[in-house]
Amino acid sequence: MRTTLTALSTVRPTRRLAVGGLTALGAAGIAATALTGTAHAATPDTAGPAGHRAAATAQHLTTQADHAKQSADKAAKAAKDSGKSGAKAKYADNLDGWIREARAVMAKHDIPGSYDGIKRNIIRESAGDPNAVNDWDINAQKGIPSKGLLQVIQPTFDQYHVKGTPDDLTDPVANIAAACNYAADRYGSMDNVDSAY
């Protein structure tokens, strides 16, 4: 990158590029800046070796930017098409995947809760076991034990169940979404829960 900056400033000193700006611009911005600043000003016939390097660098950056844009366009089209076809995003069948899937559902219903806040509470409540059951607390003594990743009782699950998740208390995604919906209603967010709730 330093060689490129030196070549660019040698050809046309009035078009110096700030290093901080290069980081923010990305490949497309660099290519556009390089093209407007040097490639048009320095033709291979009139510029020396620095001009040739600058023009080649500008062309290379333009090509990279074009490829990046094409890849982004393909990804956006694929995402749009999968949304139209009703295809569901794939999530891993583990704690990370359950949290990510629950957060995607929660986002559709404006239910707050960060990944870290949810995971912290899951680890405290169930150690990540979706089949965990509390059979000793007051709820268990009343016949409605807390279950699942976030230790939810059936009446709470029924009241705070989130549409788009299975109607199953021990389903990991449904359990997380319902618990976060309850925590949002009672505490503002699962992020604000640091003990039994």
Side-chain angles (χ1 to χ4, degrees), residues 126-192:
S126 68
D129 179 2
N131 298 309
V133 177
N134 180 331
D135 58 4
W136 59 267
D137 71 359
I138 189 70
N139 291 319
Q141 292 171 16
K142 292 178 181 178
I144 48 171
S146 304
K147 297 180 180 181
L149 290 172
L150 284 165
Q151 293 295 283
V152 180
I153 61 173
Q154 190 67 52
T156 301
F157 180 82
D158 293 342
Q159 183 176 352
Y160 290 95
H161 175 254
V162 178
K163 185 178 178 182
T165 65
D167 190 13
D168 175 2
L169 175 60
T170 59
D171 176 84
V173 175
N175 189 276
I176 293 169
C180 288
N181 195 17
Y182 166 77
D185 186 43
R186 183 132 186 208
Y187 305 102
S189 171
M190 183 59 79
D191 296 342
N192 299 329

Side-chain angles (χ1 to χ4, degrees), residues 27-107:
I30 292 169
T33 303
L35 279 175
T36 58
T38 60
H40 297 297
T43 62
D45 294 337
T46 61
H52 290 283
R53 284 191 304 274
T57 299
Q59 182 59 44
H60 176 70
L61 292 173
T62 301
T63 302
Q64 282 184 325
D66 289 343
H67 287 285
K69 184 178 182 326
Q70 289 171 1
S71 294
D73 289 346
K74 283 180 185 177
K77 184 180 183 319
K80 185 177 179 183
D81 290 346
S82 70
K84 285 180 182 175
S85 67
K88 189 176 177 183
K90 302 270 186 199
Y91 296 95
D93 189 21
N94 59 27
L95 183 57
D96 177 70
W98 301 328
I99 295 171
R100 291 182 189 285
E101 185 174 354
R103 290 190 72 232
V105 172
M106 291 161 53

